[in-house]
């Protein structure tokens, strides 16, 4: 019986080491002045300026946020700034929709992108695949 329990424990540790981080990672870390949590915890609304950090090095500042946990989509509005600290770029826009599952960012209104080499892209809309 002890050997069987030992093997089950080893199997559990092995499976957790493969999938544990994916299960436990939070998609976003919110640092917002005022938050409303609706729909049984599946909808987050940041009502006053704040910052959201992702677990992959992106930092998003905006006046308001709306995050749908079920679809993993984040909408940010008002003086939005997205900074990718790993790929070294910054995007500014009036409105941003971030499709976290697809790693896709769509901006609208006064969109401007900078990279650390000095390149600047200006447009009304961006469709950026991370």
């Amino acid at each position: 019986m002890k050997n069987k329990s030992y093997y089950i424990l080893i199997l559990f540790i092995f499976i957790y080491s493969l999938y544990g981080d994916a299960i436990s990672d939070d998609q976003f870390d919110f640092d917002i002045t005022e938050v409303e949590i609706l729909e049984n915890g599946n909808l987050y609304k940041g009502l006053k300026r704040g910052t959201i950090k992702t677990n992959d090095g992106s930092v998003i500042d905006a006046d308001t946020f709306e995050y749908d946990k079920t679809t993993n989509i984040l909408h940010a509005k008002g003086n939005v700034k997205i900074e990718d600290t790993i790929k070294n770029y910054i995007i500014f826009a009036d409105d941003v929709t971030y499709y976290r599952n697809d790693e896709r960012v769509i901006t609208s209104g006064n969109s401007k992108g900078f990279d650390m080499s000095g390149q600047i892209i200006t447009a009304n809309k961006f469709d950026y695949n991370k």
Side-chain angles (χ1 to χ4, degrees):
M1 185 68 177
K2 281 186 178 183
N3 285 340
K4 186 175 184 181
S5 298
Y6 178 75
Y7 290 120
I8 291 173
L9 179 62
I10 296 296
L11 180 64
F12 177 78
I13 291 171
F14 176 74
I15 291 172
Y16 186 78
S17 69
L18 291 176
Y19 300 105
D21 288 340
I23 294 169
S24 66
D25 277 351
D26 289 330
Q27 295 294 314
F28 297 103
D29 180 23
F30 293 85
D31 184 9
I32 301 172
T33 305
E34 187 176 325
V35 176
E36 285 184 4
I37 301 173
L38 307 166
E39 297 180 16
N40 295 320
N42 290 320
L43 183 64
Y44 293 76
K45 288 187 177 186
L47 304 177
K48 296 185 179 177
R49 184 133 188 110
T51 301
I52 295 177
K53 295 180 181 178
T54 67
N55 56 0
D56 67 353
S58 294
V59 179
I60 304 166
D61 295 312
D63 292 340
T64 62
F65 296 95
E66 187 172 300
Y67 172 59
D68 187 334
K69 194 174 180 179
T70 57
T71 61
N72 215 10
I73 296 173
L74 173 72
H75 297 280
K77 295 184 181 185
N79 300 312
V80 183
K81 175 186 174 186
I82 301 173
E83 182 175 0
D84 190 316
T85 59
I86 296 171
K87 295 182 180 178
N88 294 320
Y89 69 81
I90 298 173
I91 296 174
F92 294 97
D94 293 336
D95 297 307
V96 169
T97 302
Y98 179 28
Y99 298 90
R100 178 70 172 161
N101 293 342
D102 299 329
E103 291 296 330
R104 184 174 174 205
V105 176
I106 298 177
T107 71
S108 64
N110 299 314
S111 301
K112 190 178 283 191
F114 301 86
D115 68 10
M116 295 308 137
S117 70
Q119 288 187 320
I120 300 172
I121 301 171
T122 304
N124 190 43
K125 288 186 173 189
F126 285 158
D127 188 339
Y128 176 67
N129 291 312
K130 288 178 78 174

